[in-house]
Amino acid sequence: MTHLLNAYSYHGPPSFHLLLSITVAKFLTALVSCATALTLPPLIPLLLKIKVRELFLRQNVMELGQEVGIMKKQKEASWHVRMLTREIRKSLDKHTILYTTLVELSKAFDLHNCAVWMPNEDRREMYLTHELKSDSGKSFHNSIPVIDPDVLEIRKTKGVKILRPESKLGAGSSGGGSGKELGAVAAIRMPMLHVSNFKGGTPELVDTCYAILVLVLPSSNSRVWTKQEMEIVEVVADQVAVALSHASVLEESHLMRQKLEEQNRALQQSQKNAMMASQARKSFQTVMSHGLRRPMHSVVGMLSLFQDGITRPEQKIIGDTMLKVGNVLSSLVNDVMDISDNKKGGLQLEMKPFLLHSMLREAASIAKCLCVYEGFGFEINVQKSLPEKVLGDEARTFQVIMHIIGYLLNTCDRGKLAFRVLLASDGGDKDDKKLGVWRSSSQVEYVNIKFDFQITGSSESDESISTKQHSSRRLYHNSESKEGLSFNMCRKLVQIMQGNIWISPNSDGLVQGMSLLLKFQTGPSLERYIFAPKDSSNSQFRGLKILLADDDGLNRIVTKKLLEKLGCQVTAVTSGFECLSAISSSANSFKIIMLDIHMPEMDGFEVATRIRKFNGPNWPLIIAVIANAEDQVKDRCVLAGMNGVIRKPILLHQIADELRTVLQRAGEKL
């Protein structure tokens, strides 16, 4: 106001009122100035305090801004990682995963190039397998030795490593060839895990295979790799390793599935082949049974029937020989059928007591006939101290003896066959001592008998003889691959019988003889067995009513004739149904029923089971007629309620012995 009044007084002479106003204004101004001077000292500390608080607030704002920036960067990094992981996990193909990784990393970090190096199969070199930008005009190679210093250091380091400017990995991953300055190059390892790495332990305990991921920044600016970027690269590398492991497991699983499918197809084909082989085996068994075994059984049965009516000694010798040869052939056919029917493909011994001297006389009779036919002489020498009764497989012992005789007669041209039978402990030579393992410590229960066959007086000058001896020379060698098939089969059969067989050569190394050593049980334990004379007088079984059930017509006729020869009254039927009908209609008049267990529609087991269901005290006795002597078949017969078992071929004295045994067990009076 003072300044305005002064300015107004310049326009003319001031009036009294103007001067008075100016004076009052100046007085008031002086009062304001005095009051301001008095209040200024207390205001200075307040102003300083406000200024300091302002500085502190600015500093806090700056720190909060930095933290917000870090949080934004972390959020951005996690977003990048989630985005990269999502893109990587979209596929389980190894190549797609790697190319997606390269593309996404290039977008996220604005890279110049990105590449993946993998080791070869022998892990001696690293090859450039995947690259974002490739240049065909590169002057460097696409492979680097594993022993390169940078490669070794990267494989030992878990984190990101910044490579030197002269690094081969950096130059190989530049994507623009050599001659250009590169930006900052970072590299990190990626484990390549397979299913095999997890077998027997964790992946850290095995030699893990590593791939190398190389990232190149642009050379136009001075960018360097920040700590945050390197952390993102580490996380992405771990995710890529996991994705590659999953892809590898999926690939191996796919390969395993294909392999299993191939194996399944192979198994199905094998099953089909096995079914075809089983059908072929069944067809073979059917053909053998109908075309060979059944007729052979009938022939042997008829020979047994005719033999009983022969009275002249010469004819009886011929009849006995024919019957024994028939039994041998029948045993061979039964063995073939048993082997084809047995899944294990083995033979079962039929151990039973037999008369040793009787078996030797029959073998000598056949051997003499063969020697006369082949133009050989024959002599036999049986030790008198040999036991009469022994326990063993008579049929297969006879087969082996016949095989040896036939082999020697076919090998040599002429001479005399000397057949000696003696105890191995008496008069045994040095070869017997080698076979002491077959001898029992108790001579009371077991005896070792040696069968020795020698060809004496043979001539070996003819060319035909050397031809015949060619195969025998091969048999004498120790190597089994050089021995004859028949001799090997014969030796295996002898070994099953707990014996041994060997060849005796002459001075030229040719076969001159063979020796057989077998172990038999003997002693007082065999006295309980009754060796009944082969007396088939019809007075023993006269009037015995027997029902015979057999589907084979020829065998049925032969068996009926044998039973009628014993004096039995026989009624023959062809099936199990007819057998049950005959029992029902005859008012239980049959004393014995003979059942063939292999009848069609209703076999002998089912027929016996139906008969035993009635449990009547006067129901007939049942005898099973079987074709093989397996223990499981005999056990089934016992479980089905059968009283006896007789094996084909049925001989006259065998059927008489079985009838006598069954009736004695049942307490019937003959």
Side-chain angles (χ1 to χ4, degrees):
M1 290 293 293
T2 301
H3 291 300
L4 290 174
L5 291 173
N6 287 330
Y8 185 73
S9 64
Y10 289 150
H11 295 284
S15 62
F16 174 76
H17 294 287
L18 180 61
L19 291 176
L20 182 59
S21 299
I22 292 173
T23 302
V24 174
K26 288 182 178 182
F27 178 75
L28 293 174
T29 301
L31 290 176
V32 173
S33 298
C34 181
T36 302
L38 292 175
T39 59
L40 184 61
L43 293 176
I44 292 175
L46 293 176
L47 294 174
L48 292 175
K49 186 177 181 180
I50 292 172
K51 191 66 175 178
V52 171
R53 184 175 294 177
E54 181 183 359
L55 292 175
F56 278 114
L57 289 175
R58 287 181 179 179
Q59 186 177 357
N60 290 336
V61 170
M62 291 178 61
E63 291 178 357
L64 288 175
Q66 291 177 357
E67 292 180 0
V68 171
I70 293 174
M71 293 177 64
K72 288 183 177 180
K73 290 181 179 179
Q74 290 178 351
K75 184 177 181 181
E76 183 180 359
S78 63
W79 180 81
H80 280 296
V81 171
R82 287 198 302 270
M83 182 268 297
L84 291 173
T85 303
R86 185 171 60 252
E87 294 295 331
I88 291 170
R89 294 293 183 88
K90 284 183 178 179
S91 175
L92 286 176
D93 181 67
K94 184 188 300 183
H95 301 286
T96 305
I97 292 172
L98 291 174
Y99 277 117
T100 303
T101 302
L102 300 182
V103 172
E104 297 300 328
L105 286 175
S106 178
K107 291 180 181 180
F109 299 117
D110 191 20
L111 301 176
H112 170 68
N113 195 23
C114 192
V116 177
W117 297 74
M118 289 188 178
N120 57 359
E121 293 181 359
D122 56 2
R123 301 185 182 182
R124 294 184 179 181
E125 290 187 351
M126 302 291 294
Y127 283 91
L128 179 62
T129 58
H130 301 80
E131 187 179 13
L132 188 61
K133 298 178 182 179
S134 60
D135 187 4
S136 59
K138 293 178 181 179
S139 60
F140 54 85
H141 299 288
N142 289 339
S143 63
I144 299 175
V146 178
I147 59 175
D148 184 77
D150 292 329
V151 175
L152 295 176
E153 189 172 357
I154 292 170
R155 294 178 62 182
K156 294 179 181 178
T157 306
K158 292 185 178 180
V160 180
K161 175 178 173 54
I162 306 300
L163 300 181
R164 305 185 310 271
E166 64 274 9
S167 172
K168 293 183 180 179
L169 276 176
S173 306
S174 62
S178 60
K180 293 183 180 181
E181 185 179 355
L182 300 177
V185 181
I188 188 172
R189 70 181 188 180
M190 294 188 302
M192 306 289 292
L193 299 179
H194 301 277
V195 176
S196 57
N197 294 119
F198 296 93
K199 294 179 180 178
T202 58
E204 288 78 5
L205 300 178
V206 297
D207 186 14
T208 307
C209 177
Y210 291 101
I212 296 178
L213 175 64
V214 182
L215 302 96
V216 183
L217 292 176
S219 59
S220 59
N221 51 31
S222 57
R223 275 183 60 191
V224 294
W225 286 97
T226 63
K227 183 178 180 181
Q228 179 187 1
E229 292 175 341
M230 289 191 293
E231 291 177 353
I232 294 176
V233 171
E234 291 180 5
V235 175
V236 172
D238 292 337
Q239 294 295 325
V240 173
V242 173
L244 291 177
S245 300
H246 291 173
S248 178
V249 171
L250 181 64
E251 183 179 359
E252 293 188 17
S253 301
H254 182 67
L255 294 176
M256 185 65 67
R257 187 183 300 110
Q258 290 181 346
K259 185 177 180 181
L260 290 176
E261 289 177 356
E262 293 178 359
Q263 292 179 352
N264 190 23
R265 287 193 294 268
L267 288 176
Q268 291 178 354
Q269 184 63 33
S270 300
Q271 183 182 8
K272 184 178 179 181
N273 295 337
M275 293 179 63
M276 294 175 62
S278 178
Q279 293 177 357
R281 179 173 60 84
K282 291 180 180 179
S283 300
F284 168 77
Q285 291 177 349
T286 303
V287 172
M288 287 286 291
S289 178
H290 289 83
L292 188 59
R293 181 162 67 174
R294 289 186 176 184
M296 195 69 213
H297 291 169
S298 301
V299 170
V300 174
M302 292 301 295
L303 288 174
S304 174
L305 185 62
F306 293 153
Q307 182 197 27
D308 185 69
I310 297 176
T311 57
R312 297 178 58 184
E314 298 83 0
Q315 294 179 351
K316 190 170 183 60
I317 293 176
I318 297 175
D320 292 342
T321 303
M322 293 174 61
L323 181 60
K324 194 63 181 180
V325 173
N327 285 328
V328 173
L329 293 177
S330 179
S331 299
L332 291 175
V333 174
N334 288 333
D335 289 342
V336 172
M337 295 295 295
D338 292 344
I339 292 175
S340 63
D341 192 42
N342 190 0
K343 295 181 179 179
K344 297 181 180 180
L347 286 174
Q348 291 186 350
L349 299 179
E350 188 176 358
M351 307 298 291
K352 61 181 181 180
F354 66 94
L355 300 176
L356 178 61
H357 289 272
S358 176
M359 186 269 292
L360 292 177
R361 285 193 296 269
E362 294 175 351
S365 176
I366 298 176
K368 185 175 181 180
C369 294
L370 293 175
C371 290
V372 172
Y373 178 77
E374 296 288 343
F376 282 77
F378 178 76
E379 65 176 10
I380 182 172
N381 183 10
V382 179
Q383 189 175 2
K384 295 182 179 180
S385 59
L386 290 178
E388 178 65 24
K389 302 174 183 178
V390 294
L391 179 66
D393 194 331
E394 179 184 8
R396 291 188 172 86
T397 302
F398 192 84
Q399 289 176 9
V400 174
I401 293 174
M402 290 295 101
H403 170 80
I404 294 175
I405 294 173
Y407 173 78
L408 292 176
L409 294 180
N410 291 331
T411 300
C412 302
D413 184 61
R414 61 178 63 88
K416 179 191 292 185
L417 174 62
F419 180 19
R420 289 194 310 148
V421 185
L422 66 158
L423 292 175
S425 57
D426 297 334
D429 54 13
K430 62 181 181 180
D431 291 331
D432 300 331
K433 297 179 181 180
K434 299 179 182 178
L435 302 169
V437 293
W438 303 116
R439 295 182 180 133
S440 173
S441 59
S442 177
Q443 294 293 333
V444 177
E445 295 295 334
Y446 292 95
V447 63
N448 293 277
I449 299 177
K450 180 182 179 182
F451 303 86
D452 186 66
F453 306 85
Q454 298 292 331
I455 299 295
T456 60
S458 60
S459 176
E460 302 175 358
S461 59
D462 297 335
E463 182 180 357
S464 61
I465 302 177
S466 76
T467 304
K468 289 187 177 182
Q469 293 278 10
H470 177 67
S471 60
S472 64
R473 185 188 298 271
R474 295 171 57 197
L475 285 172
Y476 180 64
H477 293 308
N478 292 328
S479 176
E480 288 191 8
S481 61
K482 296 181 180 180
E483 294 180 346
L485 178 61
S486 60
F487 180 77
N488 284 335
M489 295 176 62
C490 188
R491 181 169 60 183
K492 290 180 179 179
L493 180 60
V494 172
Q495 290 175 353
I496 294 175
M497 299 167 63
Q498 296 185 355
N500 204 349
I501 183 174
W502 67 94
I503 296 175
S504 302
N506 58 12
S507 58
D508 296 331
L510 304 178
V511 176
Q512 188 176 5
M514 297 180 70
S515 298
L516 172 66
L517 186 65
L518 293 178
K519 178 181 177 181
F520 298 100
Q521 181 181 350
T522 185
S525 59
L526 298 181
E527 295 298 331
R528 67 178 185 269
Y529 293 100
I530 301 175
F531 293 89
K534 299 180 181 180
D535 181 14
S536 57
S537 175
N538 54 9
S539 61
Q540 295 182 358
F541 307 102
R542 187 180 302 278
L544 183 63
K545 291 184 177 182
I546 296 178
L547 177 62
L548 173 63
D550 194 339
D551 63 308
D552 184 76
L554 188 58
N555 282 334
R556 187 171 60 253
I557 294 175
V558 173
T559 307
K560 183 178 180 181
K561 292 293 184 182
L562 291 173
L563 292 172
E564 290 176 347
K565 180 70 175 179
L566 296 175
C568 302
Q569 297 180 9
V570 184
T571 301
V573 294
T574 60
S575 66
F577 295 104
E578 293 182 5
C579 179
L580 295 176
S581 300
I583 295 174
S584 302
S585 62
S586 61
N588 302 331
S589 61
F590 293 110
K591 182 61 64 177
I592 294 178
I593 299 176
M594 296 189 66
L595 289 176
D596 184 4
I597 63 172
H598 298 293
M599 290 185 296
E601 297 180 358
M602 182 185 296
D603 58 13
F605 298 112
E606 187 174 355
V607 174
T609 303
R610 293 191 180 187
I611 293 175
R612 294 310 181 196
K613 280 184 179 180
F614 297 99
N615 294 324
N618 297 323
W619 285 106
L621 305 174
I622 301 176
I623 297 177
V625 181
I626 63 176
N628 52 17
E630 293 184 359
D631 294 335
Q632 57 183 358
V633 177
K634 295 181 179 179
D635 294 339
R636 286 189 62 188
C637 294
V638 174
L639 293 176
M642 300 185 185
N643 305 97
V645 175
I646 185 170
R647 185 182 182 184
K648 297 179 181 180
I650 301 176
L651 304 181
L652 188 62
H653 70 278
Q654 290 180 351
I655 196 171
D657 293 341
E658 189 64 26
L659 290 175
R660 185 182 299 107
T661 302
V662 169
L663 291 173
Q664 287 178 351
R665 288 176 182 173
E668 298 289 343
K669 189 174 182 180
L670 292 178

